[in-house]
């Protein structure tokens, strides 16, 4: 069964008077747990995306500082240096997995994205409720809900309820270690080299996925996607 944005929207309309709804179907798996497809995940991903996009636009207006790190993914120490436009691309990839029509096992990058969007959205809801409300306006889902501490707690619980070990938060400790020094710690925490490779790959990423636009289906309206592409410049890998 494929879950379309329309089906999710119908669920939200039916249950908009409550603070959360039951998952429709579960696709993205994080450490054997599921990230439920509720409007809470939509809120977290959308607020994090829109806030990062707005900060990219502002940085371009006032002059981009190449040494300044910003964006939702700075919540993960190891990924603080990831360019903001790449952060948006990674968010879109994880979002597409979340709405996929088949089961997808998330890697440490997906775990990082889920953690970061939840923490970012929860913080903005608590500290800047008017901004959070503005980010949700005009999106694919008509979200009518109190922007309050209860909502921020529910959004944060999306990642707290997943039984991952938080390895994506630990690996920053290995950056300044030699391989010989890091190996005992990795063994202690049960971290496999193949598991952390995607995290190192992200650090070297500059170009955005050719699927950036379709990946945003259900999260942004078409006009919003067009605006996002204009702002980020859609840096794609050149053809050989």
């Amino acid at each position: 069964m494929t879950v379309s944005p329309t089906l999710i929207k119908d669920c939200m309309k039916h249950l908009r008077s409550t603070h959360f709804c039951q998952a429709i179907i579960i696709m993205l798996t994080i450490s054997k747990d599921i990230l439920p497809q509720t409007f809470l995940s939509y809120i977290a991903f959308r607020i994090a995306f829109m806030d990062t996009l707005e900060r990219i636009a502002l940085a371009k207006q006032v002059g981009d500082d190449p040494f300044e790190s910003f964006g939702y993914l700075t919540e993960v120490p190891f990924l603080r240096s990831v360019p903001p436009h790449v952060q948006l691309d990674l968010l879109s990839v994880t979002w597409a997995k979340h709405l996929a029509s088949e089961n997808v096992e998330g890697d440490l990058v997906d775990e990082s994205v889920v953690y970061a969007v939840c923490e970012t959205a929860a913080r903005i809801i608590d500290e800047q409720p008017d901004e959070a409300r503005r980010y949700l306006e005009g999106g694919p889902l008509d979200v009518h809900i109190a922007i309050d501490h209860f909502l921020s707690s529910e959004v944060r619980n999306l990642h707290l309820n997943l039984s991952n070990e938080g390895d994506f938060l630990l690996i920053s400790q290995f950056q300044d270690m030699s391989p010989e020094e890091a190996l005992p710690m990795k063994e202690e925490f049960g971290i496999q080299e193949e598991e952390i490779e995607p995290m190192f790959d992200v650090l070297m990423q500059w170009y955005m996925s050719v699927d950036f636009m379709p990946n945003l289906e259900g999260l942004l309206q078409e006009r919003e996607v067009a605006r996002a592409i204009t702002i980020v410049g859609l840096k794609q890998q050149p053809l050989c």
Side-chain angles (χ1 to χ4, degrees):
M1 170 181 164
T2 300
V3 180
S4 69
T6 301
L7 182 57
I8 297 178
K9 188 171 183 177
D10 289 341
C11 173
M12 305 316 165
K13 285 182 176 179
H14 181 66
L15 297 167
R16 64 174 52 163
S17 61
T18 67
H19 272 83
F20 54 91
C21 67
Q22 297 296 317
I24 304 168
I25 191 170
I26 312 140
M27 289 303 167
L28 180 60
T29 303
I30 302 290
S31 295
K32 308 303 180 184
D33 285 341
I34 44 116
L35 180 65
Q37 289 182 353
T38 72
F39 76 102
L40 290 172
S41 60
Y42 167 81
I43 288 173
F45 275 80
R46 182 171 171 89
I47 289 178
F49 185 98
M50 299 300 284
D51 183 69
T52 301
L53 182 66
E54 190 162 283
R55 295 193 64 182
I56 292 174
L58 181 61
K60 289 189 172 184
Q61 290 176 7
V62 302
D64 198 359
D65 182 354
F67 298 103
E68 181 185 6
S69 298
F70 66 86
Y72 77 94
L73 209 47
T74 57
E75 294 284 348
V76 180
F78 186 77
L79 300 178
R80 281 176 182 158
S81 63
V82 175
H85 67 276
V86 174
Q87 295 183 37
L88 294 184
D89 189 45
L90 297 173
L91 185 153
S92 76
V93 170
T94 301
W95 171 256
K97 291 179 181 180
H98 181 43
L99 291 190
S101 58
E102 67 279 344
N103 290 322
V104 179
E105 185 173 351
D107 57 20
L108 283 184
V109 176
D110 293 311
E111 291 185 29
S112 299
V113 169
V114 171
Y115 168 85
V117 299
C118 291
E119 285 295 319
T120 297
R123 173 176 50 78
I124 293 173
I125 291 169
D126 271 336
E127 300 176 1
Q128 301 172 289
D130 290 340
E131 293 299 295
R133 190 174 294 106
R134 182 168 62 84
Y135 292 149
L136 293 173
E137 290 176 352
L141 300 188
D142 189 13
V143 179
H144 292 280
I145 191 169
I147 307 297
D148 55 18
H149 180 67
F150 183 86
L151 178 61
S152 69
S153 296
E154 289 296 304
V155 167
R156 185 170 278 115
N157 282 337
L158 278 177
H159 81 78
L160 291 177
N161 290 335
L162 300 174
S163 61
N164 64 68
E165 301 296 327
D167 291 343
F168 57 91
L169 296 175
L170 293 173
I171 60 176
S172 59
Q173 302 178 37
F174 307 142
Q175 286 179 293
D176 298 325
M177 294 182 179
S178 67
E180 293 76 16
E181 293 175 314
L183 183 59
M185 286 190 64
K186 291 177 183 177
E187 291 178 346
E188 180 182 353
F189 291 113
I191 299 176
Q192 304 296 322
E193 286 293 334
E194 59 271 20
E195 293 177 351
I196 64 177
E197 283 179 6
M199 297 286 281
F200 283 96
D201 292 341
V202 164
L203 295 182
M204 298 182 288
Q205 185 174 336
W206 175 256
Y207 294 106
M208 300 177 70
S209 168
V210 295
D211 294 322
F212 179 65
M213 293 174 61
N215 281 345
L216 292 173
E217 182 180 1
L219 188 66
L220 271 66
Q221 300 277 29
E222 287 186 12
R223 55 178 172 75
E224 293 176 321
V225 174
R227 176 174 176 267
I229 289 172
T230 299
I231 291 174
V232 301
L234 196 60
K235 303 170 179 64
Q236 292 187 336
Q237 182 71 47
L239 297 175
C240 298

